[in-house]
Amino acid sequence: MACTNLRDALVVFLLLAPLAACSEGGGEKLPVVVINLGDAGAGDGCIQPTFPPEQPDLFVLYPPRFLTDAPNGQAVVDPGDSIEAEISVNSATRKVFVELRDAWSPEFMIYSTEIDTAGNQTIPVLLLSNSQVLGRFYMKITLCGADCDEREVVFDLNPDMNSGYERTLIENGDVIRVDRTCLDFTADAGIGSGTVIIQ
């Protein structure tokens, strides 16, 4: 299965030295994780910080995906159809807020939902599309622990859709740090895609 082969091909190395370019915020420097998507040294890897386990988070090896059985992996639905997706969260996550937003105009949201979780699980998500709306959409995801006012982690476009999600840590209403991640929007055959096309 393509999913197993891709995940088996991923090699994760923890580095002890921080990478200054990883963070655009002024917060503490974190160790980084290197995700190698092919042969070592081929230049097709990705780097993101290793985030503290007490922060709500997504699993880097299991990015949020719209599900499909399409041969190319790209999720496509008709206007008005329901949209299946899944999101894998860590043990610190208790609430998940998902917004279906236009990939080219992220301020345009067509659906939102809230999900409670015990954490450390893959959550099935059912989103609804509008019969009058066409375009390419992605999931803006906000994760919280027990108290969203105390801490929330937001995954959104960065705004370049050709790179991964941008992760923003917010504590007590203040943005603490913003980091790029290796959670991408690409389509994987037999798995799904980070965007859904409504056409």
Side-chain angles (χ1 to χ4, degrees):
M1 178 183 228
C3 175
T4 303
N5 292 339
L6 175 63
R7 290 186 180 141
D8 287 345
L10 292 173
V11 180
V12 180
F13 300 99
L14 292 177
L15 302 179
L16 298 176
L19 184 67
C22 251
S23 173
E24 295 177 16
E28 66 179 296
K29 300 300 182 194
L30 298 173
V32 297
V33 60
V34 176
I35 310 300
N36 187 350
L37 301 175
D39 294 332
D44 53 359
C46 178
I47 298 173
Q48 75 170 50
T50 301
F51 301 109
E54 66 273 10
Q55 294 179 6
D57 211 348
L58 301 173
F59 289 116
V60 69
L61 296 182
Y62 301 93
R65 287 289 182 249
F66 295 100
L67 304 180
T68 181
D69 57 3
N72 66 355
Q74 178 62 59
V76 179
V77 300
D78 292 326
D81 283 357
S82 58
I83 303 166
E84 293 182 64
E86 64 180 25
I87 300 171
S88 296
V89 298
N90 72 350
S91 60
T93 306
R94 293 294 175 266
K95 289 191 179 297
V96 180
F97 300 90
V98 182
E99 300 172 14
L100 190 59
R101 290 186 174 263
D102 189 305
W104 309 120
S105 300
E107 66 280 357
F108 181 53
M109 179 182 69
I110 64 169
Y111 187 78
S112 67
T113 188
E114 176 183 339
I115 304 161
D116 291 326
T117 177
N120 207 28
Q121 65 183 158
T122 298
I123 303 166
V125 180
L126 187 64
L127 303 165
L128 301 178
S129 64
N130 187 309
S131 61
Q132 304 300 313
V133 176
L134 303 175
R136 181 182 295 267
F137 295 83
Y138 74 100
M139 289 180 278
K140 177 180 177 181
I141 301 166
T142 302
L143 307 176
C144 301
D147 184 354
C148 290
D149 291 331
E150 179 183 329
R151 175 185 292 147
E152 60 183 2
V153 177
V154 179
F155 291 87
D156 203 354
L157 289 177
N158 84 10
D160 178 7
M161 210 173 84
N162 294 318
S163 59
Y165 271 102
E166 188 171 76
R167 181 187 191 272
T168 303
L169 172 64
I170 301 169
E171 293 182 348
N172 300 313
D174 296 325
V175 173
I176 303 302
R177 61 181 295 130
V178 178
D179 297 280
R180 291 198 176 188
T181 73
C182 295
L183 297 161
D184 62 28
F185 295 96
T186 59
D188 296 312
I191 305 171
S193 50
T195 64
V196 61
I197 298 172
I198 303 174
Q199 64 179 19

